Amino acid sequence: MNDLGNCARRIIYVLTVGEIMRIAECLYEPNKIISDEVSNSNGKVSRQTTFNYSDPCNFETLYYIYSMLVDSMMLELRKLFYCKKNANSAGTFISELANLNNLKQLNELHKSKFALLGYTTGFIYKGDIRRGYVKFKGKQIDLKNCPVDKNFFIGNDNERFTLYYDVYSSKVASLAKEFYRQNYFDSEGKRMSNTADIKEYERYYFHKDEWDNNKRWKIHTEVEEVQGLQFNHNIYTNLCSTNIDNVFKQLEKLVRIMDLYYRSCVSFVFSQGMNIYCNVYGSLPKMVLDICDSFSVERPKEFHNQIASMIYEKIPNTIDAMMLAK
């Protein structure tokens, strides 16, 4: 959950600064012509063109800040999605859930981690509710008034037991298996330690020895004419094909599984969310506004609210898990 909180913060920063950069880039003129003079002396014509660099909103600085933020975000996502045995990560958590044989094993996993101190713990299933009772520790417990579609628990201090109705377990199990199958195996069926898009970013941005043909960019040169003068203009094409929007989509699926598991395990707790607070911010628009105010870039009215809406559309489950108001 701590890793998830770090990922959420970095995603919010990346998406916000990216939108601020769009404004700054519109005013960025690295080759602004400030004078263009033609003189004629003794029948000889000469031309003098003066260029100037104009960057009133510090686009170049924002560009480097943005690049560092993206690296930081991808490192946190890498830790969150990492999937190897015994790793303290969400990816390993998904692997554990996906490789359980049945729901009884899943519920046993719940029991071992979330039993109330001093209590014996058991689970109530839909079949028990339809039958109207459940037998637990030699005692028959009446379930006639228990709704099938609600999460609840039964506690009894005298008997020292708790029973949970595990409404989310089957959904957690199926989603975890699907997520694990889709994200942690390559095209040849070989198990991977992380998702394909994160491994692709990691390969090109963090490991020079893993570049194809020792190349990071595809480069070709075009001749560009400016005021009658010819310049070689190098065009760089990024060979890294990471789809960051797809990483966000997989994050949303991951958060959904975590949330369902949490609700299933601790349904007796009053709060029904994972309680991952995002620093001192009470709302997503407030957090985005504070980020925007850190940069001296003039912004349109309601700019921060528009960014907040865009972020929520991309990662609604993640924002809800952070308990940030919209």
Side-chain angles (χ1 to χ4, degrees), residues 126-291:
K126 287 185 179 180
D128 301 325
I129 297 174
R130 294 190 188 100
R131 187 171 57 245
Y133 66 90
V134 63
K135 288 187 176 181
F136 184 66
K137 296 296 181 181
K139 183 178 178 67
Q140 182 169 306
I141 302 169
D142 182 24
L143 299 175
K144 289 179 181 178
N145 296 320
C146 296
V148 178
D149 60 342
K150 300 291 184 181
N151 232 14
F152 65 88
F153 82 106
I154 299 171
N156 187 316
D157 284 331
N158 295 326
E159 299 291 339
R160 304 296 292 174
F161 66 79
T162 58
L163 292 175
Y164 311 104
Y165 172 44
D166 202 8
V167 68
Y168 297 114
S169 279
S170 60
K171 189 67 174 175
V172 169
S174 62
L175 289 177
K177 289 181 185 297
E178 179 184 10
F179 187 90
Y180 182 67
R181 185 178 64 253
Q182 290 179 350
N183 287 284
Y184 291 104
F185 295 88
D186 62 20
S187 58
E188 298 177 353
K190 183 179 178 182
R191 191 176 182 277
M192 300 188 298
S193 61
N194 219 311
T195 66
D197 283 307
I198 292 176
K199 286 181 71 67
E200 173 78 353
Y201 190 93
E202 177 183 328
R203 179 162 70 101
Y204 277 102
Y205 283 85
F206 305 144
H207 300 296
K208 276 197 168 189
D209 58 317
E210 295 183 10
W211 295 353
D212 288 336
N213 299 319
N214 204 30
K215 290 183 179 179
R216 172 71 180 80
W217 306 92
K218 180 181 178 182
I219 307 171
H220 74 275
T221 302
E222 293 182 356
V223 177
E224 183 178 3
E225 187 171 301
V226 180
Q227 296 295 315
L229 301 176
Q230 291 186 337
F231 297 92
N232 286 334
H233 180 56
N234 293 325
I235 299 174
Y236 291 75
T237 302
N238 194 347
L239 292 177
C240 179
S241 60
T242 293
N243 184 339
I244 291 183
D245 278 338
N246 187 55
V247 175
F248 293 161
K249 289 178 182 177
Q250 300 312 314
L251 175 65
E252 284 290 282
K253 293 179 182 179
L254 177 62
V255 174
R256 174 65 173 157
I257 296 169
M258 291 175 67
D259 183 52
L260 286 172
Y261 180 86
Y262 183 91
R263 291 168 185 264
S264 180
C265 294
V266 292
S267 57
F268 52 91
V269 177
F270 290 112
S271 171
Q272 286 291 291
M274 287 186 286
N275 300 307
I276 306 174
Y277 290 98
C278 193
N279 295 336
V280 297
Y281 299 99
S283 73
L284 178 60
K286 175 67 168 63
M287 185 174 182
V288 172
L289 178 61
D290 286 356
I291 297 171

Side-chain angles (χ1 to χ4, degrees), residues 1-9 80 255 258-259 262 271 273-279 281 317-324:
M1 288 184 180
N2 182 61
D3 289 342
L4 176 59
N6 288 334
C7 287
R9 295 183 191 97
L80 182 75
V255 174
M258 291 175 67
D259 183 52
Y262 183 91
S271 171
M274 287 186 286
N275 300 307
I276 306 174
Y277 290 98
C278 193
N279 295 336
Y281 299 99
N317 293 336
T318 305
I319 297 301
D320 288 341
M322 299 299 296
M323 298 184 72
L324 286 170

Side-chain angles (χ1 to χ4, degrees), residues 19-27 55-59 62 289 291-304 306-307:
E19 292 302 308
I20 296 172
M21 276 178 58
R22 293 179 189 273
I23 298 175
E25 187 176 16
C26 292
L27 301 174
D55 189 8
C57 292
N58 299 311
F59 169 75
L62 279 170
L289 178 61
I291 297 171
C292 290
D293 286 344
S294 301
F295 301 94
S296 57
V297 177
E298 187 175 346
R299 311 179 300 268
K301 189 177 180 181
E302 295 299 312
F303 181 71
H304 71 286
Q306 293 170 7
I307 296 177

Side-chain angles (χ1 to χ4, degrees), residues 33-55:
I33 298 174
I34 60 172
S35 66
D36 189 10
E37 300 175 355
V38 178
S39 60
N40 192 327
S41 176
N42 298 323
K44 294 182 178 180
V45 178
S46 63
R47 183 179 193 135
Q48 180 175 322
T49 303
T50 304
F51 296 90
N52 190 30
Y53 172 88
S54 178
D55 189 8

Side-chain angles (χ1 to χ4, degrees), residues 10 13-14 17 64-74:
R10 282 159 176 75
Y13 269 86
V14 164
V17 174
Y64 283 105
I65 290 173
Y66 179 80
S67 298
M68 289 184 282
L69 286 173
V70 174
D71 280 348
S72 174
M73 177 187 73
M74 294 304 293

